[in-house]
């Protein structure tokens, strides 16, 4: 099979392949014992920037589960680290920034960094190592969306409501748009580096978009996410958590070929909102991964049935794989989708 015939790529062009494609967000990572063994003694961001290590972690779930795509093992803050921004991943907490960006002068400071100055050598080498082994299985490159990156930067770390970031939009919209515009270019260059090294698809993650109102998403976020994805040259997926109130806007005016849907909205309802020109991705509830197999099986079959309302369907979770997940559950989902999808 040629790479262009891969079920994932066919689905993103609106085709209905004989075998429904399936992959999982965060499939490469903490749920796999081989990952935990490999990561001993290596910090998260260091693992992401070690090509051989990042490549091996990317490939592990493809070998174990037989998924229809690999997703590049990295972190949404890696392009910021490559830009010289001081950031660390604190275990149990997440990304923490030494110097939060909260004032106009802070925005001046960070946006003075040229997005073209990113040294993506470690990223491109890891992608080349992965694609050399994948053969006709696509690699998905990814980046964080401008709002989610800005939420971390302005808050200085994880936050529940992202009050400071949302506040900046209204208190100082000029600074907000300069920061989000700069982040859009940072994410875009990160995606392009992965594309040029061999990724066949890209996904933009807006994990915290659900804290936004529809009006704020449209005015302060969607234009910058569009900049990150527009004209990227390969199929793209846009995913956010809690985006049901503005799901149609997640199409970014037709820029995104696929839209990821979280677990809150049935896929047939999502397809009715999104229309006939976009592929849906999702939306198995991650909470079901800890349920007995008959319960999980019924849920997956329901997701498959509802996904038939869209032009094409890529099976995934409604968010990432929880770290405590039994990997055998994921393998069984892949087998079920391939058999029944």
């Amino acid at each position: 099979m040629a790479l262009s015939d891969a079920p994932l790529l066919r689905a993103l062009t609106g085709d209905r392949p004989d075998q429904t494609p399936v992959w999982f967000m965060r499939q490469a990572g903490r749920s796999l014992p081989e990952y935990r063994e490999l990561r001993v003694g290596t910090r998260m961001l260091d693992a992401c920037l070690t090509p051989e290590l990042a490549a091996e972690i990317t490939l592990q779930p493809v070998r174990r589960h037989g998924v229809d795509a690999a997703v590049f093992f990295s972190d949404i803050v890696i392009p910021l680290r490559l830009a010289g921004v001081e950031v660390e991943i604190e275990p149990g907490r997440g990304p923490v920034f030494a110097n939060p960006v909260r004032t106009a002068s802070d925005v001046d400071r960070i946006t003075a960094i040229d997005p073209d100055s990113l040294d993506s050598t470690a990223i491109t080498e890891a992608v080349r190592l992965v694609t050399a082994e994948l053969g006709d299985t696509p690699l998905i490159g990814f980046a964080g969306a401008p709002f989610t990156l800005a939420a971390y930067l302005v808050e200085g770390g994880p936050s529940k409501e992202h009050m400071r970031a949302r506040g900046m939009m209204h208190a100082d919209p000029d600074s907000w748009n300069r920061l989000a515009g700069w982040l859009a270019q940072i994410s875009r260059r990160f995606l392009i580096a992965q594309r040029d090294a061999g990724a066949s698809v890209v996904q933009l993650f807006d994990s915290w978009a659900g804290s936004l109102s529809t009006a704020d998403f449209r005015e302060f976020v969607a234009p910058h996410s569009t900049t990150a994805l527009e004209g990227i040259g390969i199929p793209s997926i846009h995913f956010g958590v809690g985006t049901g109130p503005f799901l149609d806007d997640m199409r970014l005016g037709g820029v995104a070929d696929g839209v990821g849907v979280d677990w809150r909205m049935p896929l047939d309802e999502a397809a009715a909102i999104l229309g006939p020109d976009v592929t849906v991705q999702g939306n198995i509830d991650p909470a079901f991964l800890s349920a007995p197999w008959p319960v999980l099986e019924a849920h997956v079959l329901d997701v498959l049935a509802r996904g038939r309302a869209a032009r094409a369907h890529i099976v995934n979770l409604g968010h990432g794989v929880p770290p405590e997940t039994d990997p055998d559950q994921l393998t069984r989902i892949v087998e079920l989708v391939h058999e029944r999808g």
Side-chain angles (χ1 to χ4, degrees):
M1 182 179 70
L3 182 59
S4 59
D5 292 326
L8 179 81
L9 296 177
R10 289 176 58 189
L12 285 169
T13 61
D15 191 9
R16 276 272 179 183
D18 294 336
Q19 179 173 288
T20 300
V22 52
W23 68 281
F24 305 107
M25 291 180 282
R26 293 186 191 154
Q27 64 186 16
R30 296 170 294 176
S31 67
L32 298 184
E34 56 265 43
Y35 166 82
R36 295 193 294 270
E37 181 179 347
L38 196 61
R39 272 287 313 282
V40 171
T42 306
R43 295 175 68 88
M44 173 65 179
L45 298 185
D46 292 336
C48 294
L49 292 171
T50 304
E52 294 78 11
L53 197 54
E56 174 59 22
I57 294 169
T58 300
L59 291 163
Q60 284 177 344
V62 180
R63 301 188 192 115
R64 177 185 274 263
H65 302 310
V67 284
D68 293 290
V71 59
F72 186 55
F73 176 75
S74 190
D75 190 276
I76 63 170
V77 301
I78 283 292
L80 294 173
R81 166 70 79 88
L82 295 176
V85 177
E86 190 174 347
V87 58
E88 289 294 343
I89 304 290
E90 289 191 1
R93 186 182 177 197
V96 176
F97 291 85
N99 301 296
V101 178
R102 294 176 180 167
T103 66
S105 60
D106 291 335
V107 174
D108 290 341
R109 167 177 52 82
I110 198 167
T111 58
I113 301 170
D114 183 359
D116 287 330
S117 67
L118 269 68
D119 181 2
S120 299
T121 304
I123 304 305
T124 56
E125 177 59 22
V127 170
R128 290 190 183 103
L129 290 171
V130 169
T131 54
E133 181 166 331
L134 281 176
D136 56 15
T137 299
L139 173 66
I140 302 170
F142 84 96
F147 173 72
T148 289
L149 292 177
Y152 280 120
L153 270 174
V154 176
E155 303 291 344
S159 166
K160 290 185 178 180
E161 296 184 334
H162 317 107
M163 199 72 72
R164 289 190 179 97
R166 293 190 294 114
M168 183 189 283
M169 295 175 181
H170 301 282
D172 188 355
D174 178 68
S175 291
W176 168 263
N177 284 312
R178 287 192 296 125
L179 175 61
W182 179 79
L183 289 167
Q185 293 299 330
I186 290 288
S187 291
R188 182 176 181 81
R189 278 154 180 75
F190 191 55
L191 293 174
I192 287 172
Q194 294 168 81
R195 177 203 70 187
D196 289 350
S200 304
V201 178
V202 292
Q203 177 162 302
L204 193 69
F205 283 82
D206 212 347
S207 304
W208 303 130
S211 68
L212 295 163
S213 68
T214 299
D216 283 353
F217 181 82
R218 288 175 178 169
E219 180 175 358
F220 295 109
V221 174
H224 301 296
S225 294
T226 300
T227 295
L229 275 185
E230 194 167 27
I232 210 75
I234 55 177
S236 63
I237 305 164
H238 192 202
F239 171 76
V241 179
T243 58
F246 46 87
L247 187 64
D248 187 51
D249 295 284
M250 294 292 287
R251 296 176 64 245
L252 302 176
V255 167
D257 300 290
V259 171
V261 182
D262 76 8
W263 66 93
R264 295 173 176 88
M265 179 182 291
L267 281 188
D268 50 346
E269 294 181 21
I273 293 169
L274 290 166
D277 299 322
V278 67
T279 297
V280 299
Q281 178 174 279
N283 65 341
I284 298 167
D285 186 340
F288 276 74
L289 295 175
S290 61
W293 173 248
V295 176
L296 175 57
E297 180 184 38
H299 176 55
V300 173
L301 292 175
D302 181 66
V303 168
L304 276 169
R306 294 179 184 275
R308 294 190 183 102
R311 70 167 189 178
H313 179 202
I314 299 165
V315 174
N316 207 311
L317 303 180
H319 201 197
V321 176
E324 66 276 9
T325 300
D326 178 354
D328 290 342
Q329 292 281 67
L330 300 178
T331 303
R332 293 182 79 175
I333 290 172
V334 174
E335 292 170 349
L336 177 65
V337 170
H338 285 170
E339 176 188 346
R340 303 287 289 276

